[in-house]
Amino acid sequence: MTDTITLSDRAARRITEILGKEADGAMLRVAVDGGGCSGFQYSFDIVHDRAPDDLVIEKAGAVVLVDTVSQEYMPGAEIDFSDELIGAAFKINNPLATASCGCGTSFSI
Protein backbone atom coordinates (compact mmCIF):
# COMPACT_ATOMS: atom_id res chain seq x y z
CA MET A 1 0.00 0.00 0.00
CA THR A 2 1.21 3.48 -0.81
CA ASP A 3 0.63 6.44 1.48
CA THR A 4 -0.08 8.76 -1.43
CA ILE A 5 -3.58 10.21 -1.71
CA THR A 6 -4.74 9.98 -5.31
CA LEU A 7 -7.46 11.42 -7.50
CA SER A 8 -9.45 9.30 -9.94
CA ASP A 9 -9.98 10.46 -13.53
CA ARG A 10 -13.74 10.86 -12.85
CA ALA A 11 -13.10 13.02 -9.79
CA ALA A 12 -10.55 15.15 -11.65
CA ARG A 13 -13.04 15.81 -14.47
CA ARG A 14 -15.82 16.80 -12.05
CA ILE A 15 -13.53 19.00 -9.93
CA THR A 16 -12.30 20.75 -13.08
CA GLU A 17 -15.95 21.41 -14.06
CA ILE A 18 -16.78 22.80 -10.60
CA LEU A 19 -13.65 24.95 -10.31
CA GLY A 20 -14.18 26.27 -13.84
CA LYS A 21 -17.27 28.09 -12.55
CA GLU A 22 -15.31 29.72 -9.72
CA ALA A 23 -12.92 32.68 -9.66
CA ASP A 24 -9.38 32.06 -10.90
CA GLY A 25 -7.19 30.23 -8.40
CA ALA A 26 -10.02 28.16 -6.89
CA MET A 27 -9.04 24.82 -5.36
CA LEU A 28 -10.97 22.02 -3.66
CA ARG A 29 -10.02 21.38 -0.04
CA VAL A 30 -10.73 17.89 1.30
CA ALA A 31 -10.50 17.53 5.07
CA VAL A 32 -11.28 15.03 7.81
CA ASP A 33 -13.30 16.41 10.72
CA GLY A 34 -14.50 14.83 13.93
CA GLY A 35 -18.19 13.99 13.95
CA GLY A 36 -20.56 12.32 11.56
CA CYS A 37 -22.47 9.08 12.06
CA SER A 38 -19.32 6.95 12.36
CA GLY A 39 -16.86 9.22 14.21
CA PHE A 40 -15.14 11.10 11.38
CA GLN A 41 -16.47 12.83 8.31
CA TYR A 42 -15.03 14.27 5.12
CA SER A 43 -15.62 17.87 4.24
CA PHE A 44 -15.26 19.49 0.82
CA ASP A 45 -14.78 23.24 0.41
CA ILE A 46 -13.77 25.52 -2.44
CA VAL A 47 -10.92 27.75 -1.30
CA HIS A 48 -8.51 30.25 -2.83
CA ASP A 49 -5.64 29.99 -0.33
CA ARG A 50 -3.42 27.11 0.59
CA ALA A 51 -1.20 26.50 3.58
CA PRO A 52 2.52 25.88 3.05
CA ASP A 53 2.22 22.33 4.40
CA ASP A 54 -0.87 21.31 2.38
CA LEU A 55 -0.61 18.27 0.15
CA VAL A 56 -1.40 19.50 -3.36
CA ILE A 57 -2.86 16.97 -5.78
CA GLU A 58 -3.10 18.15 -9.39
CA LYS A 59 -4.63 16.19 -12.24
CA ALA A 60 -6.19 17.30 -15.54
CA GLY A 61 -6.69 20.87 -14.34
CA ALA A 62 -8.10 19.86 -10.95
CA VAL A 63 -6.32 21.10 -7.83
CA VAL A 64 -7.09 19.41 -4.50
CA LEU A 65 -5.62 20.38 -1.13
CA VAL A 66 -5.37 18.13 1.94
CA ASP A 67 -4.07 19.51 5.24
CA THR A 68 -1.42 17.60 7.22
CA VAL A 69 -3.78 16.41 9.98
CA SER A 70 -6.30 15.04 7.45
CA GLN A 71 -3.49 13.28 5.57
CA GLU A 72 -2.87 11.13 8.68
CA TYR A 73 -6.42 9.74 8.37
CA MET A 74 -6.21 9.14 4.60
CA PRO A 75 -2.95 7.38 3.65
CA GLY A 76 -3.45 5.47 0.41
CA ALA A 77 -6.93 6.91 -0.12
CA GLU A 78 -8.43 7.65 -3.52
CA ILE A 79 -10.76 10.58 -4.06
CA ASP A 80 -13.38 9.41 -6.55
CA PHE A 81 -16.64 10.71 -8.02
CA SER A 82 -19.73 8.57 -8.45
CA ASP A 83 -22.64 9.59 -10.66
CA GLU A 84 -25.38 7.01 -10.16
CA LEU A 85 -29.17 6.97 -10.27
CA ILE A 86 -29.32 7.49 -6.50
CA GLY A 87 -27.18 10.61 -6.76
CA ALA A 88 -23.83 12.09 -7.65
CA ALA A 89 -21.18 12.59 -4.98
CA PHE A 90 -17.50 12.55 -4.23
CA LYS A 91 -16.41 9.38 -2.46
CA ILE A 92 -13.22 8.66 -0.58
CA ASN A 93 -11.96 5.09 -0.96
CA ASN A 94 -9.96 4.99 2.27
CA PRO A 95 -8.07 1.78 3.18
CA LEU A 96 -7.96 2.88 6.86
CA ALA A 97 -11.74 3.09 7.19
CA THR A 98 -13.08 0.08 9.08
CA ALA A 99 -16.71 1.18 8.76
CA SER A 100 -18.63 3.82 6.90
CA CYS A 101 -22.12 5.23 6.98
CA GLY A 102 -24.76 5.24 4.25
CA CYS A 103 -24.27 8.99 3.88
CA GLY A 104 -20.92 8.29 2.19
CA THR A 105 -18.98 11.00 4.02
CA SER A 106 -18.75 9.47 7.50
CA PHE A 107 -16.30 6.76 8.54
CA SER A 108 -14.47 5.16 11.46
CA ILE A 109 -10.97 3.76 11.78
Side-chain angles (χ1 to χ4, degrees):
M1 177 181 82
T2 177
D3 286 347
T4 304
I5 299 169
T6 59
L7 191 60
S8 74
D9 292 340
R10 285 185 304 229
R13 280 192 300 273
R14 184 65 182 127
I15 292 166
T16 300
E17 289 173 12
I18 292 168
L19 297 180
K21 297 174 185 172
E22 298 293 324
D24 287 348
M27 299 166 277
L28 181 71
R29 177 172 294 284
V30 177
V32 174
D33 300 318
C37 314
S38 300
F40 295 100
Q41 62 187 359
Y42 298 109
S43 65
F44 302 88
D45 293 304
I46 296 173
V47 298
H48 290 87
D49 297 312
R50 65 179 173 206
D53 57 351
D54 279 340
L55 170 66
V56 180
I57 306 165
E58 296 183 71
K59 185 173 190 175
V63 180
V64 177
L65 307 176
V66 183
D67 65 84
T68 55
V69 173
S70 297
Q71 290 175 50
E72 294 176 21
Y73 294 96
M74 300 174 61
E78 178 191 48
I79 301 167
D80 195 11
F81 182 76
S82 176
D83 191 359
E84 301 173 358
L85 289 176
I86 58 172
F90 287 103
K91 294 187 176 186
I92 310 289
N93 300 316
N94 187 342
L96 279 188
T98 57
S100 61
C101 184
C103 66
T105 61
S106 180
F107 70 101
S108 61
I109 53 174

